[in-house]
Amino acid sequence: MTDQPTTADTTTQRTAIVTGAARGIGAAVAQRLAADGFAVAVLDLDESACAAVVSQVEAAGGKGLAVGVDVSDEEGVQAAVDRVAAELGAPTVLVNNAGIIRDNMLFKMTAGDWDAVMNVHLRGSFLMTRATQKHMIDAKWGRVVNLSSTSALGNRGQANYSAAKAGLQGFTKTLAIELGKFGVTANAIAPGFIATDMTRQTAERMGITFEQFLEGAAKEIPVGRVGQPDDIAATASFLVSEGAGFVSGQVIYVAGGPKD
């Protein structure tokens, strides 16, 4: 295990929660944090969908727990966090990764499309953070990592998603201000083009194959390739480590090149 507590009053294994962790970026983050020595709660809407990730964590010698929860449901979130605390230990690391897309041009976007995206990304991150922060404050140590996006800078057909991801950046900076005195840091990762099921959905919306989408995206990225979930997991690993204790309130663009 790495970056785990060694002092007399913090000898137990730390527990991390990763939302939206049944696949894609969330699954990669959960597996990486387990490899780093954390007990990891794998949260997603469908608990059974989390089983494969938990099995991979356990097969590698880690400790995992699958929990089904709608992160926009206040009572459900509290129950999920309580269950994690009871079965794995008090969570002091939270990665708010759960997200959905309901892409459309503004004139076609419904109020339901807007609300659904806001509820998962913003309300969900708020509820999860509020429910876990007490455990972090009690431990006098904690890490919150929110998943933003380069879409926060604006992206055609994503008024709802862009607004939500920009909102998470303001949320992150405020958490850093409020929780810093308790030994809790808060940072955001803003991925660029990452090859996941979500970007596959975008390709379908655009009417092109996923392979065409990947090839076209790679040509626009300075490092000459699209990102992979493990690229985001590596950044999350750093941000929740002891070595990142003086990094807080930051938005790190992991996009293969500079972003404003």
Side-chain angles (χ1 to χ4, degrees), residues 82-107:
D82 289 346
R83 181 183 168 194
V84 172
E87 297 188 31
L88 281 187
T92 53
V93 169
L94 171 65
V95 180
N96 284 310
N97 169 73
I100 61 171
I101 54 172
R102 296 289 186 271
D103 293 353
N104 223 326
M105 297 299 289
L106 182 63
F107 74 98

Side-chain angles (χ1 to χ4, degrees), residues 19 45 69-74 77 96-102 110-129 160-161 163-165 168 171:
T19 69
L45 195 58
V69 64
D70 175 354
V71 294
S72 67
D73 179 344
E74 185 172 10
V77 164
N96 284 310
N97 169 73
I100 61 171
I101 54 172
R102 296 289 186 271
T110 67
D113 290 337
W114 178 273
D115 290 344
V117 170
M118 293 299 164
N119 281 341
V120 174
H121 292 273
L122 284 177
R123 177 181 168 88
S125 295
F126 157 67
L127 291 175
M128 287 298 306
T129 307
N160 48 4
Y161 187 79
K165 291 305 194 181
L168 280 171
F171 178 61

Side-chain angles (χ1 to χ4, degrees), residues 169 172-173 176 186-189 239 246-252:
Q169 295 188 15
T172 298
K173 292 177 183 294
N187 292 284
I189 300 172
L239 289 174
F246 202 55
V247 180
S248 196
Q250 302 305 302
V251 179
I252 300 177

